[in-house]
Amino acid sequence: MIQDIAPKKYDNHYTEQLPEPEDWLLIYQNGDALCRFEEERICFPKVREIDQEKKEMTYLFSISKERFFLLKSGLERTPEGYTWEKPPVFRNAKPQYRGFAGITGQQLDGWYRANRFCGGCGAPMVPDHVERMVRCEKCGNLVYPKICPGVIVAVTDKNRLLLTKYANRPGVVNYALVAGFTEVGETLEETVQREVMEEVGLKVKNIRYYKSQPWSFSSTLLCGFVCEVDGSTEITLDRTELAVAEWFEREDIPLEDDGVSLTREMIDQFRRGKI
C-alpha cells in the first residue's frame, strides 16, 4: 500500500526545525502540487531552489534522513522545470516514499489552510511550538490535524465477493468495496453494518477486522473489515451512492492488487483465497 515504504522510515514527530538548502519543499496551490519528473522519478523543489525572502516554511516530517517542509506562503512564479499536478499523481509515483510524502503533505497543507481562524471566536490561530497543533490565543481553542475514521468492507457470501462502483464520480471506473465514514457515537463495527445496509440493503454477520491504512487523499484512516451476508443476498442499491453492486465468484474477480490502496489489497486477498 502507498504507506508501505520500507526500508524507508516515516517519522511524523513534530519539532520546530529550520530548513536547510537540501531539504525537500512541498508546495500546494489550488489543490495542485508542485513537482517535476527526472527519468520518471517524482521530485519536489529543494529549499535552495526557492526565493526564501519572506517565505514561511513549516517542518512536516522526515522519511529516513530526508526532511520535508511545507511552504505556507504564496509562490510568485513557478520554478523552471516544475509543473502543477493533481493529487492522483501520487498514487503510483516512483519512488513510492516520495508519492507518500506528497499526499501526506497535501493533507497537512489542507488542514493548515482550513484552520487559519478560530472556529469558536474567529480570531487568528497560531501554531504551537511543541506539537502539531494550532491554538487560539483569544479563547483557548486547540485544533489538531483532522483524521476521519472510515471503513472498507469486504462483504462475502461463501465463494463470492460483493464489488461496487461509485455513482457520480467521473473518471472512477474500477470496482471497489462498500465504504463509508464513521458517525458520532458509532463503533467501527456498527459503521460496517450501517453502511452495508444503506448502500446495498444487506444484513451482515461475523464482522472481522483486517487492517488499516492512512489515506491522505481524503484525510481518512481507513479500517478494513471482512464480513458475511446474514440472510438474503438480494441487493437493494442506493443509487445516490453507487452506480453498480455485483456479486463475483472468486475466480471471476477482475482486479488485482495495485500496491496502493487497502481496497485493492483486500479484493486481491479474497481473489487468492487468503481471506
Side-chain angles (χ1 to χ4, degrees):
M1 295 188 288
I2 193 169
Q3 78 276 7
D4 296 330
I5 58 174
K8 299 283 187 179
K9 183 173 177 57
Y10 171 64
D11 181 2
N12 64 357
H13 176 67
Y14 176 75
T15 58
E16 287 193 331
Q17 302 183 35
L18 295 175
E20 297 180 356
E22 292 303 312
D23 291 330
W24 295 108
L25 192 56
L26 301 178
I27 307 172
Y28 306 96
Q29 180 175 290
N30 300 322
D32 298 337
L34 188 66
C35 57
R36 63 186 173 89
F37 293 88
E38 296 180 353
E39 298 180 350
E40 300 185 351
R41 293 168 62 87
I42 194 168
C43 292
F44 306 107
K46 296 284 190 176
V47 169
R48 58 175 164 76
E49 297 180 75
I50 302 298
D51 179 7
Q52 300 179 46
E53 185 178 357
K54 297 181 180 180
K55 295 291 189 295
E56 183 182 358
M57 299 182 185
T58 299
Y59 173 71
L60 293 181
F61 46 77
S62 296
I63 296 182
S64 294
K65 295 183 179 181
E66 300 178 42
R67 299 193 304 168
F68 293 79
F69 284 77
L70 175 68
L71 182 68
K72 294 173 66 177
S73 51
L75 192 65
E76 290 76 20
R77 62 179 182 83
T78 301
E80 185 176 353
Y82 288 90
T83 58
W84 296 98
E85 300 289 343
K86 300 294 182 185
V89 74
F90 298 128
R91 287 184 64 108
N92 298 297
K94 302 298 180 185
Q96 187 167 318
Y97 82 93
R98 288 187 199 159
F100 175 64
I103 194 58
T104 304
Q106 191 151 27
Q107 178 181 355
L108 286 167
D109 176 67
W111 171 73
Y112 277 118
R113 291 177 185 272
N115 291 281
R116 292 178 295 172
F117 298 95
C118 178
C121 70
M125 301 292 273
V126 298
D128 187 74
H129 298 293
V130 178
E131 56 184 332
R132 179 83 62 195
M133 177 257 286
V134 292
R135 67 171 68 244
C136 177
E137 294 182 319
K138 183 176 180 181
C139 72
N141 183 27
L142 307 178
V143 181
Y144 292 85
K146 182 182 75 171
I147 302 173
C148 304
V151 299
I152 299 291
V153 190
V155 183
T156 68
D157 174 43
K158 299 182 177 62
N159 200 48
R160 299 193 301 171
L161 178 67
L162 183 67
L163 297 182
T164 67
K165 288 185 178 181
Y166 295 112
N168 305 314
R169 293 199 185 181
V172 179
V173 297
N174 284 329
Y175 282 101
L177 298 173
V178 171
F181 290 108
T182 299
E183 296 185 355
V184 174
E186 190 175 59
T187 67
L188 292 169
E189 291 80 5
E190 288 169 341
T191 305
V192 169
Q193 294 173 315
R194 176 181 55 78
E195 287 291 344
V196 175
M197 176 56 68
E198 288 179 354
E199 293 191 0
V200 293
L202 299 174
K203 293 183 179 180
V204 294
K205 62 183 179 180
N206 298 333
I207 299 170
R208 307 178 302 282
Y209 175 73
Y210 174 66
K211 66 166 37 172
S212 64
Q213 177 183 34
W215 192 247
S216 293
F217 293 93
S218 56
S219 298
T220 310
L221 177 63
L222 295 174
C223 301
F225 288 88
V226 181
C227 59
E228 302 169 13
V229 166
D230 184 9
S232 173
T233 61
E234 183 176 351
I235 296 168
T236 302
L237 195 65
D238 178 1
R239 296 193 177 277
T240 62
E241 295 286 338
L242 300 177
V244 174
E246 301 177 58
W247 290 107
F248 281 83
E249 296 289 339
R250 196 184 303 271
E251 59 272 16
D252 295 330
I253 290 174
L255 295 177
E256 297 183 359
D257 188 5
D258 61 359
V260 175
S261 70
L262 177 62
T263 296
R264 290 286 287 270
E265 179 178 302
M266 291 175 66
I267 292 172
D268 191 62
Q269 288 290 296
F270 183 86
R271 183 182 66 86
R272 296 165 58 187
K274 299 295 183 65
I275 60 173

